Amino acid sequence: MMMSLLFDLAFWVTVPFWAAMIFLPRWSWTQRVIGSPLIMLPTLVVWTVLAVPVLPELWAVVSTPELAEFRGFGAAASGAALLWAQIIAWDLFIGRWIYFDGLRRGVHPVVMAPILVLAILLSPVAVLLWFVVRAVRPAATGHDQPEYVRAVAA
């Protein structure tokens, strides 16, 4: 029960941030809140709660990675929940970068929104797609997009 709750919580604590970036990308509060890297803290707290009890096993898996060991770790509910929390934190980190890069480049929210949704689901694919957008839409003359300037200054 507890693992299931933490598994779910790892995602649900990020939903307000994702919703703001996708549905209210140019709202000043969105830019101010997303401007803080601390938005990842709730998921990282969940990750820490999950990691502390299995720290020796986690360390063994990541310090000398082997497929069989990693597979065994991920097969346990505690390992799967821990890996999920790490994935969710990473996805939010990637989404935050895409969000601010999009503001800086003046990318329309209608273009950014599906890529941000994809970042929630399959962040490596979203990053590859974002590289295409970056190639098509290079940054203007530096950091001159007003949304980006306001967000970074906040």
Side-chain angles (χ1 to χ4, degrees):
M1 173 66 179
M2 182 63 150
M3 284 302 141
S4 181
L5 174 66
L6 291 171
F7 180 89
D8 291 342
L9 190 60
F11 173 71
W12 287 109
V13 297
T14 67
V15 168
F17 306 121
W18 284 112
M21 288 189 287
I22 293 166
F23 297 112
L24 302 166
R26 294 194 173 153
W27 186 37
S28 64
W29 278 95
T30 298
Q31 294 165 24
R32 183 173 292 145
V33 170
I34 304 304
S36 171
L38 295 177
I39 65 170
M40 289 166 281
L41 193 57
T43 301
L44 295 175
V45 167
V46 173
W47 182 90
T48 302
V49 168
L50 289 163
V52 167
V54 295
L55 202 50
E57 296 91 340
L58 174 62
W59 182 251
V61 168
V62 299
S63 63
T64 54
E66 293 183 25
L67 182 58
E69 300 297 323
F70 195 84
R71 191 170 165 204
F73 181 79
S78 58
L82 174 67
L83 295 172
W84 178 247
Q86 184 167 327
I87 290 167
I88 295 301
W90 175 252
D91 289 350
L92 187 58
F93 182 81
I94 292 294
R96 181 179 179 271
W97 171 69
I98 290 170
Y99 170 76
F100 278 119
D101 196 44
L103 288 179
R104 185 170 65 87
R105 292 172 185 280
V107 176
H108 197 279
V110 171
V111 174
M112 276 185 12
I115 297 172
L116 288 171
V117 170
L118 191 56
I120 298 168
L121 304 171
L122 294 169
S123 61
V125 177
V127 169
L128 291 173
L129 185 57
W130 189 250
F131 287 160
V132 171
V133 170
R134 287 172 57 97
V136 172
R137 182 73 186 227
T141 55
H143 302 291
D144 61 350
Q145 295 296 325
E147 293 90 355
Y148 179 82
V149 172
R150 278 195 306 270
V152 172

